[in-house]
């Protein structure tokens, strides 16, 4: 009890929350001298180098200035993004600009200035050179909301020492495959519910086989799966009727993605315009209110449950959330913020990837058959897999890598340089926003022969000796700031693919039109995907 009271007291006041956050700084705005993070980046490593150091890669000679860097004109860019809905085609624009301007180019988005890097080796140089607490992007609007409401920042929106502290707590618990292996039992229960749901949906279908808009189903699966780990409780997303609080959460999430264009690109809409155009910012805040409220309800439920058990003198054991409570390494407000941001980061990413993977399997029956044979040979037709079984089916892992190469949920990623760097022969001043163009590098034949083709076998180790590493496709990012939920997502996807194929042969549906990728914050299917799940004999 005393412990729980201490935890509750550790919740910072709104004022403390505000001062605890690092100051928001939009990309493109220079950092005041001396206000930056410790300059720890080892820029000279692998070719991205500090000015003045001898050049280890790229062109020899004095670096060129940004003025000499090619790129689209500001007006053309604005027309492309705001006039021709470029936000929905960010992935294609990456490729087009790479063709037009080369592998490193500059762009302006309103007040924001971005240098795009669309070359595998330059991406590797930038990421290998980064320091202990890399800064991803312009999170000004996220932090502004948190300051406004006296909320803490979670891993996505925090920076500097605060981020380092939280990252070091969470990385000990979920960053390695062996850490998340313990969640396989819970995930398998969610999978059992999903398979039951597929049988139910099939029974409702005219042809007895088709499940329409599979992303709906995978959204519910991903939400249930990740919530099971984050809240240590079930939400019931895969039941016929879903609770009102979960429906409210889904609406808040939808609102978040509706306001994506204005939130992630808030820097492109000056703050002074808000009184004239108030709706986007209001929507953004309303959506975050909904997301935080939902997490707080579930976190508080767990806290009450732990308190009851402690009061009864029972031993308290549990998963991630229980450990976070008991260890007291994070304040309660930091726990709210982190589970809120992790749920946000872990649902659509996983469900879009699953939708693409199933779509690809339906369209490539030969690959599907090879996978099924490997599963039956190495695991059996009905064996419920554990985390330890996943390495026995390397094609399943290769399927995920190839799906994410063709459809990287985050088609591009960002970094704000923490020191002056020379990249590709250009001097990039400290504080510059870099856009790493993963979609463009994923489709380069030089990085992946016959890059447009779906060939999961390209990811198989040869003779189990060589790891296939390729900075052309790093869908979970790289290094200190890479995806903290990677192992959770992989486990959810690997275990589900195995069991889907054990139960069903997945076939295309004539109702599915050509499915294009579109960017809506994340890279997602632009049209609904319907598939037939044919029972295995
Ligand atoms: C297929 C699924 C997923 C993909 C492709 C994905 C991809 C990514 C990428 C590219 C980043 C940025 C990494 C970087 O900047 O280097 C990221 C960050 C992050 N992801 Fe994921 N993610 C997925 C699933 C998840 C899940 C399931 C969770 C949570 C359970 C999660 C939580 C996070 C968080 C909290 C961050 C921010 C990490 C930090 O800044 O320290 N992600 N993710």
């Amino acid at each position: 009890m005393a412990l729980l009271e201490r935890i509750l007291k550790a919740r910072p006041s709104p004022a403390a929350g505000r001062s605890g956050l690092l100051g928001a700084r939009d990309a493109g705005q220079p950092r005041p001298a001396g206000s930056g993070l410790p300059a720890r980046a080892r820029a000279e490593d692998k070719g991205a180098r500090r000015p003045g150091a001898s050049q280890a890669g790229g062109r020899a000679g004095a670096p060129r200035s940004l003025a000499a860097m090619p790129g689209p004109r500001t007006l053309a860019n604005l027309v492309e993004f705001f006039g021709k809905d470029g936000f929905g085609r960010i992935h294609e624009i990456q490729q087009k600009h790479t063709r037009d301007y080369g592998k490193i180019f500059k762009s302006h988005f309103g007040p924001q200035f971005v240098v795009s890097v669309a070359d595998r080796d330059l991406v590797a140089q930038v990421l290998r050179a980064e320091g202990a607490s890399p800064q991803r992007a312009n999170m000004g609007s996220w932090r502004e909301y948190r300051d406004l409401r006296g909320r803490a920042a979670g891993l996505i929106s925090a920076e500097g020492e605060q981020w380092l502290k939280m990252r070091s707590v969470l990385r000990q618990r979920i960053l390695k495959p062996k850490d998340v292996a313990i969640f396989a039992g819970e995930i398998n229960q969610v999978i059992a519910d999903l398979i039951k749901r597929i049988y139910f949906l099939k029974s409702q279908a005219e042809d007895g086989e088709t499940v329409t808009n599979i992303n709906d189903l995978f959204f519910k699966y991903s939400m249930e799966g990740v919530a099971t780990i984050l809240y240590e409780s079930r939400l019931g997303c895969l039941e016929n009727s879903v609770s009102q609080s979960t429906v409210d959460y889904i609406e808040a999430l939808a609102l978040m993605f509706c306001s994506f264009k204005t939130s992630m690109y808030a820097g492109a809409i000056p703050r002074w315009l808000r009184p004239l155009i108030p709706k986007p910012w209001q929507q953004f805040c309303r959506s975050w209110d909904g997301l935080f409220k939902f997490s707080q309800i579930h976190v508080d439920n767990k806290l009450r449950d732990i308190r009851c058990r402690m009061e009864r003198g029972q031993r308290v054991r549990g998963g991630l959330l229980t450990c976070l409570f008991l260890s007291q390494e994070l304040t309660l407000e930091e726990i709210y913020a982190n589970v809120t941001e992790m749920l946000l980061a872990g649902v659509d990413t996983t469900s879009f990837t699953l939708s693409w993977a199933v779509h690809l399997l339906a369209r490539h029956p030969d690959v599907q058959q090879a996978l099924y044979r490997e599963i039956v040979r190495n695991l059996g037709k009905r064996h419920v897999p554990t985390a330890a079984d996943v390495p026995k089916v390397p094609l399943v892992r290769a399927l995920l890598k190839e799906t994410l190469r063709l459809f990287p949920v985050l088609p591009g990623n960002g970094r704000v340089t923490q020191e002056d760097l020379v990249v590709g022969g250009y001097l990039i001043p400290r504080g510059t926003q870099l856009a790493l163009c993963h979609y463009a590098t994923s489709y380069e034949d030089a990085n992946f022969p016959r890059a447009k083709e779906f060939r999961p076998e390209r990811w198989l180790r040869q003779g189990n000796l060589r790891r296939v590493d390729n900075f052309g496709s790093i869908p979970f990012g790289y290094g200190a700031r890479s995806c903290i939920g990677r192992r959770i997502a992989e486990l959810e996807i690997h275990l589900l693919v195995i069991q889907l194929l054990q139960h069903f042969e997945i076939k295309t549906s004539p109702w599915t039109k050509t499915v294009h990728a579109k960017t809506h914050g994340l890279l997602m299917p632009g049209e609904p995907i319907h598939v037939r799940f044919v029972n295995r004999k």
Side-chain angles (χ1 to χ4, degrees):
M1 183 64 192
L3 167 67
L4 288 163
E5 270 163 10
R6 275 208 306 281
I7 293 172
L8 285 165
K9 278 187 194 141
R11 225 179 127 173
S13 67
R18 265 193 290 282
S19 63
L21 298 177
L22 292 181
R25 187 180 62 89
D26 287 356
Q29 295 167 354
R31 187 192 293 271
S35 69
L37 307 167
R40 280 185 258 188
R42 296 275 65 86
E44 62 274 38
D45 182 30
K46 307 278 183 187
R49 62 182 183 96
R50 291 206 203 101
S54 67
Q55 189 143 353
R59 287 157 48 95
R64 286 166 287 172
S65 79
L66 286 180
M69 188 181 277
R73 288 165 178 270
T74 306
L75 187 62
N77 225 22
L78 284 177
V79 171
E80 181 85 69
F81 276 86
F82 289 94
K84 300 185 190 164
D85 193 28
F87 289 108
R89 296 178 290 108
I90 290 174
H91 56 298
E92 287 168 4
I93 294 174
Q94 251 184 36
Q95 288 181 310
K96 179 176 179 295
H97 284 173
T98 308
R99 279 194 303 273
D100 293 350
Y101 305 106
K103 295 190 167 189
I104 181 160
F105 56 89
K106 64 181 178 192
S107 322
H108 288 271
F109 298 90
Q112 291 195 38
F113 173 74
V114 180
V115 170
S116 296
V117 181
D119 174 79
R120 178 187 71 179
D121 296 332
L122 295 183
V123 167
Q125 284 171 18
V126 168
L127 292 175
R128 284 183 169 143
E130 65 189 11
S133 59
Q135 187 183 350
R136 185 174 300 112
N138 165 20
M139 303 303 286
S141 55
W142 286 39
R143 289 209 292 275
E144 194 184 339
Y145 167 85
R146 282 151 182 74
D147 285 356
L148 196 70
R149 298 280 196 265
R151 290 278 184 195
L155 270 195
I156 301 179
S157 53
E159 301 295 352
E161 290 302 322
Q162 192 201 13
W163 171 81
L164 258 179
K165 179 196 102 170
M166 297 192 295
R167 178 89 187 188
S168 68
V169 171
L170 288 164
R171 71 193 285 274
Q172 287 169 41
R173 314 227 183 264
I174 54 171
L175 201 58
K176 296 205 190 92
K178 74 171 171 43
D179 301 329
V180 302
I182 50 165
F183 302 128
E186 276 103 338
I187 293 175
N188 277 335
Q189 284 173 20
V190 180
I191 293 175
D193 288 350
L194 174 86
I195 299 220
K196 233 191 286 169
R197 179 116 198 113
I198 294 179
Y199 280 117
F200 170 76
L201 293 172
K202 270 156 57 82
S203 73
Q204 305 288 299
E206 257 173 50
D207 61 359
E209 287 179 342
T210 303
V211 173
T212 55
N213 197 2
I214 49 168
N215 198 62
D216 256 11
L217 187 69
F218 292 140
F219 177 90
K220 290 176 176 162
Y221 167 72
S222 308
M223 183 150 165
E224 190 73 29
V226 77
T228 304
I229 295 169
L230 294 177
Y231 304 137
E232 295 178 35
S233 62
R234 294 292 304 263
L235 301 177
C237 295
L238 292 158
E239 302 297 319
N240 281 339
S241 86
V242 178
S243 76
Q244 188 54 44
S245 70
T246 302
V247 171
D248 291 348
Y249 176 85
I250 293 170
E251 270 167 21
L253 199 61
L255 197 63
M256 175 60 73
F257 284 105
C258 282
S259 61
F260 155 74
K261 287 180 196 171
T262 40
S263 68
M264 291 305 270
Y265 289 84
I269 299 173
R271 211 182 285 184
W272 56 265
L273 263 181
R274 265 189 221 153
L276 299 174
I277 317 171
K279 203 171 156 202
W281 176 250
Q282 286 167 357
Q283 226 179 39
F284 180 67
C285 291
R286 199 148 47 85
S287 155
W288 272 117
D289 288 345
L291 302 184
F292 267 100
K293 184 176 159 200
F294 184 77
S295 277
Q296 192 158 342
I297 290 172
H298 290 280
V299 170
D300 287 348
N301 280 347
K302 188 73 203 167
L303 195 59
R304 257 194 306 278
D305 174 46
I306 294 177
R307 180 184 292 153
C308 280
R309 279 191 275 160
M310 288 171 98
E311 276 172 358
R312 281 193 234 118
Q314 290 172 349
R315 191 162 163 223
V316 177
R317 292 178 66 192
L320 178 64
L321 191 52
T322 307
C323 286
L324 292 178
F325 281 145
L326 297 181
S327 72
Q328 298 188 64
E329 291 162 306
L330 300 182
T331 65
L332 187 59
E333 198 58 55
E334 285 170 340
I335 294 178
Y336 291 145
N338 277 292
V339 292
T340 302
E341 292 190 5
M342 283 201 277
L343 192 69
L344 175 71
V347 178
D348 283 299
T349 45
T350 308
S351 72
F352 293 149
T353 306
L354 274 166
S355 298
W356 288 121
V358 164
H359 181 57
L360 288 165
L361 285 177
R363 287 167 49 92
H364 296 86
D366 48 334
V367 174
Q368 186 179 163
Q369 187 56 18
L371 242 105
Y372 179 62
R373 269 198 241 110
E374 186 184 73
I375 291 167
V376 172
R377 190 173 55 244
N378 299 347
L379 302 180
K381 280 189 175 178
R382 280 286 176 262
H383 170 73
V384 177
T386 62
D389 289 323
V390 174
K392 298 177 194 159
V393 278
L395 255 180
V396 173
R397 295 210 287 202
L399 165 75
L400 176 56
K401 287 186 175 198
E402 186 69 345
T403 303
L404 282 168
R405 181 185 70 80
L406 290 170
F407 302 106
V409 188
L410 269 83
N413 198 2
R415 286 293 184 264
V416 179
T417 55
Q418 293 176 326
E419 320 193 302
D420 292 355
L421 282 182
V422 175
V423 183
Y426 291 96
L427 175 64
I428 316 275
R430 170 176 181 246
T432 305
Q433 173 78 54
L434 297 182
L436 309 176
C437 301
H438 301 312
Y439 187 86
T441 58
S442 288
Y443 278 84
E444 272 199 30
D445 286 330
N447 301 338
F448 301 98
R450 290 156 55 196
K452 283 192 185 138
E453 293 175 21
F454 170 62
R455 296 199 298 128
E457 69 279 5
R458 72 171 87 235
W459 292 102
L460 294 177
R461 291 180 191 199
Q462 287 164 8
N464 273 344
L465 290 176
R466 193 174 59 88
R467 248 181 81 138
V468 187
D469 275 327
N470 193 330
F471 271 87
S473 172
I474 43 169
F476 292 99
Y478 174 85
R481 193 120 207 192
S482 65
C483 176
I484 192 97
R486 172 182 186 161
R487 301 306 177 187
I488 293 176
E490 286 175 344
L491 192 64
E492 286 177 334
I493 294 171
H494 291 144
L495 294 179
L496 179 57
V497 167
I498 294 170
Q499 293 181 68
L500 278 180
L501 290 182
Q502 283 173 325
H503 282 264
F504 309 108
E505 189 177 349
I506 299 167
K507 295 196 168 179
T508 53
S509 156
W511 300 340
T512 306
K513 306 272 171 296
T514 307
V515 183
H516 302 93
K518 81 166 187 197
T519 324
H520 193 77
L522 303 173
L523 192 74
M524 61 179 284
E527 290 77 22
I529 299 171
H530 317 295
V531 294
R532 288 180 296 139
F533 287 98
V534 180
N535 295 353
R536 297 256 183 215
K537 302 257 160 21

